Amino acid sequence: MALDQSFVGRTYPPTEPYEVGREKIREFAEAVGDANPAYTDTEAARALGHPDVIAPPTFVFAITFKAAGQVVADPQLGLDYSRVVHGDQKFAYNRPVRAGDRLTVTSTIETIRTMAGNDILDIRGEVHDQGGEHVVTAWTKLVARAAEEA
């Protein structure tokens, strides 16, 4: 059953703040195999003009994907998460994520469409820091596969 088009444009409340820690950044950089010293060494980050270590560009995915969970869990939307696969991810940064940031995410459903029986949902996550500065916009595409015919 196709998702309700009236949900396009619906915005969900901001998440609770996520405090970005140096150790989380280091662990993430190691996990993705990125040895950029700006991710682990405060002095290296400062030499590049940052006040503290910065996070790899995809670090924010964990925060924005969790925030998209508000959309997924909305019972009125009727999305069957057991049929969902992650379709795509994009980011547009105003500045890097830094250790010490307290980030909130506000999720909005940008589009809902159906192709070959599959529902495709585009969610935009606007990420702001503790001072209200816009840090990054993340777009997450979810594909709810069509139910198999009996």
Side-chain angles (χ1 to χ4, degrees):
M1 184 162 122
L3 296 176
D4 185 345
Q5 288 291 320
S6 73
F7 277 75
V8 173
R10 183 173 288 196
T11 297
Y12 293 78
T15 60
E16 290 296 315
Y18 174 91
E19 187 163 345
V20 178
R22 282 189 195 106
E23 186 64 14
K24 286 289 186 188
I25 292 173
R26 184 192 63 75
E27 290 171 350
F28 187 87
E30 285 179 1
V32 299
D34 194 330
N36 184 333
Y39 303 151
T40 57
D41 181 339
T42 303
E43 291 309 313
R46 286 186 180 142
L48 295 171
H50 304 291
D52 205 331
V53 295
I54 59 172
T58 56
F59 177 87
V60 77
F61 172 77
I63 304 164
T64 58
F65 193 74
K66 183 176 180 181
Q70 291 178 301
V71 176
V72 169
D74 186 338
Q76 295 176 343
L77 179 60
L79 183 66
D80 179 359
Y81 192 68
S82 71
R83 306 200 64 75
V84 170
V85 294
H86 184 235
D88 192 20
Q89 190 70 50
K90 296 187 300 186
F91 305 100
Y93 276 87
N94 283 336
R95 69 159 175 85
V97 170
R98 306 176 192 131
D101 278 341
R102 292 178 47 83
L103 303 175
T104 58
V105 183
T106 303
S107 296
T108 300
I109 298 174
E110 281 202 329
T111 64
I112 296 173
R113 59 190 185 283
T114 301
M115 293 177 65
N118 300 311
D119 287 320
I120 302 169
L121 182 68
D122 291 304
I123 303 167
R124 184 183 73 245
E126 298 289 347
V127 181
H128 292 85
D129 69 10
Q130 62 276 10
E133 179 185 0
H134 180 254
V135 177
V136 59
T137 300
W139 289 271
T140 301
K141 183 182 300 295
L142 301 177
V143 180
R145 297 165 319 194
E148 296 172 10
E149 304 264 339

